[in-house]
Amino acid sequence: MNALPPADQADPLAAFAALRTPEGTALLDELRDHDPARELATATRLRRTHPAALVSAALGQARLRQRAAAKFGAADAYRMFFTPNGVEQATRTSVAGYRAGRFAELGVRSVADLCCGIGGDAIALARAGIRVLAVDRDPLTAQVARANAGALGLQDLIEVRCADVTDIDTSPYDAVFVDPARRGGRGRIFDPEAYSPPLSWATEAALKAPRAALKIAPGVPHEAIGPQAEAEWISDGGDVKEAVLWFGEGFTPGAYRATLLPSRATLASEGPLPAPPVGPVGRYLYEPDGAVIRAHLVADIVERCGGRLIDETIAYVTSDSPYASDATAAYEITDQLPFNMKKLKALLRERQVGVLTVKKRGSPVEPEELRRKMKLQGPHEATVFLTRVAGAPTMLIGQPVKRP
């Protein structure tokens, strides 16, 4: 057995190195399908034949791989290595692949990936045929990124360097990608200048390169985005995952874009759109994808469907005619009521609604609280929107429109 210090004293680099030995590899293979609920029993059994520190490291890595499967897919996740922060902050494979594809379509053949983390973006870039310099200042994270490149057979395209990104000469590369750290000791960081490195430094680095992309939090204030960038918000399966600022040849400074994966449907505008009209609720209600809302492109949906907003501060669009788009979910509205719990309960009882989907914008009511109070019974389903219409608290009841 390999000699390792006790689990509570193990050096992270030594523990990671042990995981890559034949003994560590065998342990990880054995733990692939382990049940976290039985972890104590599993640890007790494995410690009879393996060092306690190695067992602890292997169990921790097994947990991380199980979590990472949702982002990377099981085929990759169970060959890769992770750190807790790496799993949390890594880009989902579908998003990283889309972004790498935009670079590849523009003829980019080499990228300096600054703040590479465990290498998720470097992997996507390499799979798009792009040579990558992946840089991270944390020694363990850099080791993990290097191991991942090797585990996926991409070591010839990915060079991993442990260094401060501010010391890297990016001039030999076709493009720069920067993914600043957006979490600190107290959780998420919302001020772009508190990123590590700050957004201003990342922007300066981007402007020096022929092309560049900066990954930022999707909630970034639009006023924090410089005029030189094309700003893109990306959702995957309806969940907003990130925003990217694109710089250089092939991108439109000042433009806003919303991209929806997996369909890759895109809405774009070369600048801010005028405020859309506001009017009464029609037969149909449209819920724009979160990326469309973040990109301030709801007015585009309004124009496309020939509709209007139900309230100037609420991102629900309505029209009198049906409209189908990957950028919206559509509902046919059957009832509009002033906000009143008793009236809603009576209506749902009358309609024999046993399954209720609750959506809200501009309402303080929690969906679970409302469902609990309704005491639902019956074979039918309905959707209720808790929102405001022309400033008044309102309930809209309807059904999803099935797309052809």
Side-chain angles (χ1 to χ4, degrees):
M1 294 189 297
N2 295 320
L4 280 173
D8 59 351
Q9 300 175 20
D11 172 72
L13 286 170
F16 179 64
L19 288 177
R20 304 191 67 202
T21 64
E23 185 179 7
T25 300
L27 260 181
L28 287 173
D29 289 343
E30 183 178 347
L31 290 169
R32 174 181 173 123
D33 298 316
H34 93 287
D35 182 358
R38 295 182 53 80
E39 189 163 295
L40 181 59
T42 301
T44 301
R45 174 177 58 81
L46 292 175
R47 282 171 180 158
R48 297 186 188 122
T49 52
H50 301 282
L54 180 59
V55 171
S56 178
L59 283 167
Q61 192 61 223
R63 288 194 299 271
L64 294 175
R65 284 179 167 183
Q66 288 181 343
R67 287 172 54 194
K71 282 189 175 182
F72 290 87
D76 281 353
Y78 286 103
R79 288 188 290 165
M80 295 172 65
F81 296 91
F82 301 94
T83 64
N85 285 340
V87 170
E88 186 70 29
Q89 299 178 22
T91 305
R92 183 178 291 264
T93 293
S94 55
V95 179
Y98 162 75
R99 196 185 321 101
R102 285 203 78 183
F103 270 138
E105 288 165 5
L106 291 169
V108 169
R109 291 294 174 261
S110 62
V111 171
D113 177 2
L114 309 181
C115 311
C116 69
I118 54 94
D121 286 287
I123 289 165
L125 290 163
R127 283 176 167 167
I130 297 171
R131 181 171 55 86
V132 185
L133 170 66
V135 183
D136 202 283
R137 68 181 180 183
D138 177 66
L140 176 61
T141 302
Q143 288 277 24
V144 170
R146 188 174 293 112
N148 287 337
L152 300 180
L154 299 169
Q155 63 275 12
D156 292 340
L157 283 170
I158 301 174
E159 175 195 348
V160 179
R161 191 178 302 175
C162 184
D164 190 311
V165 297
T166 61
D167 295 332
I168 299 299
D169 176 13
T170 62
S171 60
Y173 298 88
D174 295 342
V176 167
F177 173 66
V178 188
D179 182 5
R182 296 178 300 282
R183 286 184 179 272
R186 297 183 178 180
R188 291 182 181 178
I189 296 172
F190 296 98
D191 177 6
E193 283 308 295
Y195 292 173
S196 180
L199 181 58
S200 57
W201 181 90
T203 300
E204 184 179 345
L207 292 172
K208 293 177 182 177
R211 296 183 177 92
L214 310 183
K215 177 180 170 182
I216 58 175
V220 65
H222 279 222
E223 55 268 23
I225 299 171
Q228 308 97 326
E230 174 187 301
E232 179 177 29
W233 283 259
I234 303 171
S235 69
D236 189 11
D239 295 327
V240 183
K241 295 301 179 184
E242 65 177 57
V244 186
L245 304 183
W246 298 95
F247 298 82
E249 186 179 350
F251 305 110
T252 305
Y256 296 92
R257 179 185 297 268
T259 297
L260 287 56
L261 302 178
S263 71
R264 299 202 174 198
T266 294
L267 275 69
S269 170
E270 293 191 357
L273 297 174
V278 179
V281 177
R283 181 177 177 182
Y284 297 96
L285 189 76
Y286 304 104
E287 182 182 28
D289 184 273
V292 174
I293 296 171
R294 294 285 193 180
H296 293 185
L297 293 174
V298 174
D300 190 321
I301 298 293
V302 172
E303 182 177 356
R304 288 169 186 261
C305 74
R308 55 206 174 262
L309 296 181
I310 64 171
D311 185 283
E312 64 180 7
T313 64
I314 302 294
Y316 283 138
V317 179
T318 189
S319 75
D320 304 307
S321 303
Y323 168 73
S325 167
D326 287 336
T328 65
Y331 299 83
E332 186 170 7
I333 299 302
T334 57
D335 301 89
Q336 177 178 341
L337 305 170
F339 181 81
N340 185 298
M341 288 282 204
K342 289 183 179 180
K343 288 184 178 180
L344 178 62
K345 186 175 181 180
L347 185 147
L348 296 176
R349 187 189 307 117
E350 177 187 332
R351 304 270 174 87
Q352 295 183 306
V353 173
V355 178
L356 183 67
T357 299
V358 182
K359 293 178 173 287
K360 68 167 197 167
R361 281 187 184 151
S363 172
V365 177
E366 291 301 325
E368 286 304 321
E369 176 191 358
L370 183 139
R371 266 191 292 265
R372 189 168 55 250
K373 290 182 177 180
M374 292 300 102
K375 298 181 179 178
L376 301 166
Q377 285 186 330
H380 303 303
E381 300 182 13
T383 300
V384 60
F385 295 85
L386 307 177
T387 186
R388 293 193 303 272
V389 174
T394 303
M395 301 180 298
L396 304 175
I397 296 93
Q399 298 283 348
V401 176
K402 295 182 180 179
R403 296 183 63 180

